[in-house]
Amino acid sequence: MLGGAGILLGVAAVPAQAAEVSYKTECIPPAASGLGPVEGTTKVEITAPATAKVGDEIQVVWKFVQAASKNPDLIVLPKNSVKPTGTLKASGAQTADIAMEGPQENPEIPKGGDMVLSDMTGKVKLTTAGDVTLTPDAYTITAYSTDTKCTPQEAVPAAATIKVTAAGGGSTTSGGSTSGGTTTSGGTATGGDTGGTTSGGSTTGGGTTSGGTTSGGTTSGGTTSGGSTTGGNDGQTDFAGKTVATSFACTSPGPAKIDSSATINAKKNGGSYDLTVKTAKGVMNSPAPLPAGALKPSMVITVGGDDSGSLKVEGPANKDALNTGDPVSLGDMTGTYKPGADGKATLSPGDLTIVVTLSAGSDPITIPCKATKTAVSLELDVQKQTGGVSGATTSGSGSSSGTSSGSSSSSSSSGGGLAETGANDHGGLRALGFVAGTAILLGGAVFTFLPRRRVR
């Protein structure tokens, strides 16, 4: 639906109308976020046909001028990670709840930034002559598989009214299924030499019959599945994965839990693939001042489908020094996938490891984080290569054994094995840092970080 304009499907085009309404709204964040309800104002513009006939199926557009809630000051929402759904109520001559849905398309949304939501579309078949009013109702914002539900807190004014007339007669064709152009019947329409007096299919085959292009195909969520379609032998070299929600359980002195997202992209290099893994920004907060080069990430990538095994990708250390409370973002991690089998191979984020080096010459601290939630980010059509990954596994914990806090004896290992995939628990959007009561070694002295003070 170009330009957000409403359209009649299966009937002659009619003028569209657009009206903006606003209403008080309460939004309930995911329970795991620890956040309370948010009160705000929703501003919505509804676009719909001004007139229609009984039997017509119409498409309407819901445009968010302003969402009631902002992105909480917890995490940066990456591009194309937020999806809106909602309900538009029809009343008057006809009563119906119209399901509305928008594509998972958005710019990167910073912490505390305005929620930028895609336009939602929906369809309804008109059954009764008279005035049908359209009123926006509740909507849901989905990010990282978690839902923020927003409901009106006052009577919402109608945003549009469609004047529906009985089928038959008039200047537009009756058969709603013969979606002609703006000229509707008679010799002036295409095919007039085959019987201009009949307003049926002979007058509707012109190029203006393009219902397919207005069937909402652009809102089918294509952005969430593009990563799995690849070309193998068609000359394609760059393959973009889809962003998937991830959760990690870390051992002390790391954060107890990290909720994030990951995207695996690939570039073909001969028979192998150069991988780049991107994670969400600002997924945890620094517990103390940390120098540049202190944090270095790596991750296990699980290979499935017709191939099997795992491989490791590694990222650079933090470029800039971090102050207490600064958001921590992991650098892009890279590695190489050499297929060990023919067919379709899937790539999923696995266990994460963060190596902390507090000062030059100090022993590194290895923090293993086991993946508790993941999914397939990329699917590739591959051909077996000598020495390929098939059957091989790596721990992904890095090569540094390090010295962890006195309470931990597992700092040199990630726990072995590969991450389980397909977990369906829903992690919330949380400020995830080194939690209160967690110990960390700083220059040989043990500090314990509490919410508001530090004790030695």
Side-chain angles (χ1 to χ4, degrees):
M1 177 60 49
L2 297 178
I7 190 167
L8 270 172
L9 298 181
V11 295
V14 297
Q17 56 176 330
E20 180 181 314
V21 296
S22 63
Y23 52 97
K24 294 179 181 178
T25 309
E26 180 182 71
C27 295
I28 307 296
S33 70
L35 299 175
V38 176
E39 302 286 343
T41 299
T42 299
K43 295 182 180 180
V44 169
E45 182 181 277
I46 302 298
T47 303
T51 61
K53 290 182 177 296
V54 171
D56 293 345
E57 183 180 60
I58 64 166
Q59 180 167 286
V60 293
V61 177
W62 170 321
K63 178 181 179 65
F64 285 96
V65 179
Q66 174 184 294
S69 65
K70 294 179 179 291
N71 181 28
D73 191 21
L74 301 178
I75 190 171
V76 175
L77 294 175
K79 181 179 179 180
N80 297 339
S81 64
V82 181
K83 180 181 179 68
T85 54
T87 301
L88 185 68
K89 288 190 172 293
S91 59
Q94 177 180 343
T95 301
D97 286 344
I98 306 171
M100 306 295 291
E101 182 176 355
Q104 188 170 305
E105 295 177 358
N106 60 276
E108 180 180 281
I109 303 175
K111 295 179 181 181
D114 292 336
M115 292 296 291
V116 181
L117 304 176
S118 62
D119 294 352
M120 300 192 296
T121 59
K123 299 176 186 175
V124 62
K125 187 170 183 177
L126 302 174
T127 59
T128 308
D131 288 350
V132 176
T133 59
L134 302 176
T135 305
D137 196 48
Y139 59 92
T140 299
I141 303 170
T142 302
Y144 292 122
S145 302
T146 65
D147 294 335
T148 296
K149 297 183 179 295
C150 301
T151 54
Q153 298 299 296
E154 63 178 342
V156 183
T161 300
I162 305 169
K163 294 189 176 298
V164 182
T165 57
S171 60
T172 57
T173 54
S174 51
S177 61
T178 60
S179 55
T182 56
T183 55
T184 59
S185 66
T188 58
T190 58
D193 59 342
T194 62
T197 58
T198 61
S199 60
S202 63
T203 66
T204 61
T208 56
T209 310
S210 57
T213 62
T214 61
S215 62
T218 58
T219 65
S220 62
T223 58
T224 64
S225 60
S228 63
T229 53
T230 62
N233 300 318
D234 63 358
Q236 184 178 353
T237 59
D238 294 295
F239 305 94
K242 66 179 179 180
T243 299
V244 296
T246 55
S247 292
F248 302 94
C250 304
T251 62
S252 177
K257 184 182 180 186
I258 297 176
D259 287 338
S260 181
S261 67
T263 308
I264 302 174
N265 299 320
K267 184 177 183 65
K268 193 169 185 181
N269 184 359
S272 300
Y273 296 84
D274 295 331
L275 303 183
T276 300
V277 180
K278 297 178 178 292
T279 58
K281 298 179 180 179
V283 295
M284 57 185 176
N285 297 327
S286 177
L290 294 174
L295 303 175
K296 183 176 175 64
S298 63
M299 179 182 283
V300 173
I301 300 301
T302 305
V303 181
D306 294 324
D307 202 357
S308 64
S310 69
L311 59 105
K312 187 168 79 170
V313 292
E314 295 182 299
N318 56 302
K319 181 175 61 175
D320 300 316
L322 298 169
N323 295 316
T324 302
D326 282 353
V328 177
S329 298
L330 303 181
D332 292 351
M333 292 171 278
T334 58
T336 300
Y337 165 50
K338 180 182 286 188
D342 295 326
K344 290 187 179 295
T346 61
L347 302 178
S348 306
D351 294 350
L352 172 71
T353 299
I354 303 172
V355 176
V356 183
T357 304
L358 297 171
S359 61
S362 66
D363 290 332
I365 302 167
T366 299
I367 302 172
C369 300
K370 184 173 180 60
T372 57
K373 179 179 181 180
T374 184
V376 172
S377 175
L378 183 63
E379 182 180 273
L380 296 167
D381 292 328
V382 299
Q383 294 181 331
K384 181 177 180 179
Q385 303 295 309
T386 302
V389 76
S390 185
T393 60
T394 62
S395 69
S397 60
S399 59
S400 55
S401 58
T403 304
S404 184
S405 63
S407 62
S408 173
S409 61
S410 61
S411 62
S412 62
S413 170
S414 68
L418 298 178
E420 289 186 1
T421 60
N424 56 13
D425 56 308
H426 296 296
L429 302 178
R430 306 179 62 181
L432 296 162
F434 291 78
V435 296
T438 295
I440 188 169
L441 286 175
L442 290 177
V446 178
F447 288 81
T448 301
F449 290 92
L450 300 176
R452 295 186 184 277
R453 60 190 180 95
R454 185 182 72 184
V455 295
R456 187 185 294 267

